[in-house]
Amino acid sequence: MGENPRARRLADRIKQIIATRLDKGLRDPRLGFVTITDVRVTGDLQHASVFFTVYGTDEERADSALALESAKGMLRSEVGRNITARITPSLEFIADAIPENAQHIEDLLREARERDGQVADLASNAAYAGEEDPYVQPRERDDDEES
């Protein structure tokens, strides 16, 4: 089944409203450099999951998550004023794991490159255990034998 187009439009609008509000600033000193990465709205348009990332240390991420959680009511009111839906969806803030996942993938790729280099070094110094071509070749007939 496809995604509800109305839910997708509402999600895009909520993302824009929250990002604009965060850009204007909240009066919470715990809030760091927050980026809203995605918003997903349920099919009944009653719940919105807001995914965010925070640039900084783990402590700054935790503080920003607490700041967003404490500002949830004010942000929901802001969303309610700026959308035309009958019901204002409840908001849930979820820390997006994109930066951590990207770093993990980079680490795996670096490790794979190192192992490929090791295998290439071993292959360059390798010698055949037996003959160079281990497959049985058909015998070549001499023209002298046929006569």
Side-chain angles (χ1 to χ4, degrees):
M1 298 185 92
E3 186 179 336
N4 182 353
R6 185 168 182 215
R8 185 72 249 162
R9 285 192 309 269
L10 182 61
D12 290 341
R13 182 70 181 130
I14 290 172
K15 180 180 177 181
Q16 180 184 17
I17 293 166
I18 292 176
T20 302
R21 182 64 184 114
L22 291 177
D23 190 40
K24 289 180 183 176
L26 294 177
R27 291 190 180 127
D28 196 331
R30 298 176 295 178
L31 190 67
F33 186 69
V34 176
T35 302
I36 304 298
T37 56
D38 193 20
V39 175
R40 294 188 186 141
V41 178
T42 58
D44 60 1
L45 309 178
Q46 292 189 9
H47 182 75
S49 299
V50 181
F51 295 89
F52 68 95
T53 59
V54 179
Y55 182 75
T57 64
D58 290 337
E59 182 181 339
E60 290 171 333
R61 288 185 193 119
D63 288 345
S64 294
L66 291 173
L68 287 172
E69 196 64 32
S70 67
K72 185 188 297 187
M74 186 272 302
L75 291 171
R76 184 170 184 230
S77 297
E78 185 82 17
V79 167
R81 280 192 296 270
N82 291 295
I83 63 171
T84 58
R86 183 174 59 88
I87 297 173
T88 302
S90 61
L91 300 178
E92 174 188 20
F93 289 97
I94 301 170
D96 203 346
I98 288 176
E100 291 82 13
N101 289 343
Q103 183 60 45
H104 180 67
I105 290 171
E106 286 294 324
D107 292 342
L108 291 174
L109 289 172
R110 182 177 27 78
E111 182 180 340
R113 278 192 297 271
E114 290 171 2
R115 287 185 181 179
D116 285 347
Q118 292 171 354
V119 169
D121 288 342
L122 290 173
S124 66
N125 299 330
Y128 293 103
E131 296 179 19
E132 189 170 324
D133 188 7
Y135 297 104
V136 176
Q137 301 295 326
R139 288 189 218 164
E140 295 181 17
R141 291 186 174 173
D142 293 334
D143 290 331
D144 297 334
E145 292 178 11
E146 290 181 14
S147 318

